[in-house]
Amino acid sequence: LDAVTSTNDVARERLAAGAATPLLIRAETQSAGRGRSGRTWLDAPGGSLLMSLAVRADSLPTEPERAWRVGAEFALALADAAEDAAGLLIGGLALKWPNDLVLRNEEGGVTTGFRKVGGALMEASDLGGPNATLIVGIGLNVRGDPSRLDAALAATATSLELASGRPVDREAIFDDAVARLEGRMAALHSGRFDVSNWRARQLLDGWEVELDLGAEGHLQGRVVGFDGSSGALILSVDGTERAISTGEVTRVVRAATP
């Protein structure tokens, strides 16, 4: 598609009209792209990969609490494809819990920071029921400078081309990601989730962070792991481990060092 409000909106409309699934929607630009917590996703036409995957109950894990794995497999497929196309080191493109794709800033083999290149938004309905649906929207900055869309993004976001210093083929990423996603969805349908790769790509393991838990306020602690069953971040707070299922990392207090 050319211009849409958002690929998630189109996917929802197609589901309502009875479209077969799995369904993948792609657009060149969005006029009302969105992220978590009502944030706006900005893009320049032709600069990003903008996609939404829509599935029904027959493609979802039988346990509703594991539906997040569909989004995780989509992100992993895209990360693998983007690394290959941009000539990045394996693991250079990381997952920042809960839903960001980021490029590591490294000095002497140590990750000292990161910049966002993509993000995902999952929207579900009636999980666990026969009419369950899940839509996973993903945006990936491939070309251009995000700060030209919003100057506030200069310190926090980048694109694959800007970071790698070389041309990156969007179509190669798309074709490779779709092929990888098909295999990952087939594995997920048979009950297998790539938990090792999902954990290996996590940026924040060992980092001390501050989390915004919404109505529960803020919480600071050290990330000690990620639960492959629930998708929760495991945070050690004063020696006690807590599983955090929903929240947002608002500040990195200290990055992990070897």
Side-chain angles (χ1 to χ4, degrees), residues 20-184:
T21 60
L23 171 69
L24 187 64
I25 302 294
R26 179 184 172 189
E28 283 295 292
T29 187
Q30 299 178 130
S31 61
R34 59 188 181 274
R36 281 169 50 89
S37 304
R39 294 187 183 91
T40 299
W41 175 272
L42 301 174
D43 71 86
S48 301
L49 272 177
L50 306 168
M51 302 177 286
S52 289
L53 171 68
V55 295
R56 300 187 191 276
D58 57 354
S59 296
L60 288 169
T62 54
E63 305 91 340
E65 63 273 14
R66 295 187 178 182
W68 66 273
R69 288 179 168 181
V70 174
E73 293 286 19
F74 196 0
L76 289 171
L78 188 57
D80 288 343
E83 275 184 352
D84 283 354
L88 301 173
L89 294 174
I90 295 174
L93 207 161
L95 304 178
K96 175 177 169 284
W97 186 91
N99 69 323
D100 286 345
L101 288 164
V102 301
L103 286 173
R104 300 176 187 268
N105 297 334
E106 294 195 344
E107 296 179 9
V110 177
T111 300
T112 57
F114 56 89
R115 289 198 176 193
K116 183 173 178 176
V117 289
L121 176 67
M122 290 191 287
E123 298 177 317
S125 174
D126 196 29
L127 288 181
N131 298 316
T133 61
L134 177 69
I135 299 171
V136 183
I138 288 187
L140 179 71
N141 299 330
V142 179
R143 301 173 181 150
D145 185 349
S147 68
R148 294 184 178 179
L149 301 173
D150 183 346
L153 297 175
T156 60
T158 189
S159 69
L160 293 176
E161 284 196 349
L162 196 61
S164 66
R166 57 180 276 182
V168 178
D169 188 339
R170 278 194 316 156
E171 299 310 311
I173 296 175
F174 176 74
D175 291 343
D176 191 13
V178 170
R180 292 174 185 269
L181 180 61
E182 288 176 349
R184 287 182 173 278

